[in-house]
Amino acid sequence: MSKVLIYSQEDLDLILELEKEKNEELQQENEKLKKQLHEASITIQEMVEQDIECPSNCEKLRILKKQHEKLLNDYCRLDARKYSEQEEFIKYMNSCIKELEKESTNKLQNTINLGIIDIAKIILQKYRSIIGENDV
């Protein structure tokens, strides 16, 4: 017989709130990296416009390009991690819903599970709307 995971509304709300906080933190870090990337791009452009032949500027340009590449890599990695965590949470919620959808010999438990399934689907739908995804 399979185990049915039962979560209270408070637990589900807490999970959703923690995911929202993590998403907000990632978005703030993402914005910070975007700003740094933009500033580095402007600095590189200014260096190029001033005098690309000057050896000191060329060295500064190489350093700025390395910083630019690092920031771009950090940004891409952060964005991938955010997406991965969002996808993981959605898979987790779907697996909980599937587990709850399994029939039990206890009719009362089946009725309770139907209510929990409805709540979990509402939470999942709201989470998807928060992260801007219709279907991950």
Side-chain angles (χ1 to χ4, degrees):
M1 188 167 159
S2 64
K3 271 189 170 175
V4 175
L5 302 173
I6 299 176
Y7 293 95
S8 68
Q9 180 63 42
E10 291 82 19
D11 289 342
L12 294 172
D13 289 343
L14 179 60
I15 290 169
L16 183 59
E17 185 61 33
L18 290 172
E19 285 296 318
K20 282 174 58 178
E21 287 175 10
K22 187 183 292 183
N23 191 31
E24 288 172 4
E25 289 172 8
L26 289 173
Q27 286 177 339
Q28 287 174 354
E29 190 172 343
N30 190 357
E31 288 301 316
K32 181 180 172 185
L33 288 172
K34 278 183 184 178
K35 183 178 178 185
Q36 289 176 351
L37 181 61
H38 179 71
E39 289 170 357
S41 296
I42 290 172
T43 303
I44 289 171
Q45 185 61 36
E46 288 172 350
M47 299 290 294
V48 168
E49 289 173 1
Q50 286 176 6
D51 187 2
I52 199 162
E53 297 298 320
C54 176
S56 65
N57 281 349
C58 289
E59 182 58 31
K60 290 176 186 176
L61 184 59
R62 278 191 282 278
I63 291 169
L64 287 171
K65 281 184 179 180
K66 284 182 183 179
Q67 290 174 347
H68 181 265
E69 289 172 9
K70 183 186 179 314
L71 288 171
L72 188 57
N73 288 337
D74 289 348
Y75 173 75
C76 291
R77 194 171 54 251
L78 178 64
D79 196 47
R81 188 177 95 203
K82 179 181 88 170
Y83 179 78
S84 175
E85 289 173 353
Q86 291 169 346
E87 190 175 51
E88 183 180 327
F89 179 71
I90 289 170
K91 285 179 183 177
Y92 169 77
M93 289 296 289
N94 282 326
S95 70
C96 289
I97 290 169
K98 285 182 181 162
E99 190 66 34
L100 289 167
E101 287 174 337
K102 294 179 181 175
E103 283 287 323
S104 170
T105 56
N106 184 331
K107 291 184 183 221
L108 178 59
Q109 185 64 52
N110 287 335
T111 303
I112 292 169
N113 286 355
L114 287 175
I116 295 171
I117 289 168
D118 288 341
I119 292 169
K121 285 181 178 180
I122 290 168
I123 290 171
L124 188 55
Q125 180 181 4
K126 180 65 177 175
Y127 180 72
R128 283 184 168 149
S129 72
I130 289 170
I131 65 171
E133 296 285 332
N134 292 329
D135 196 24
V136 174

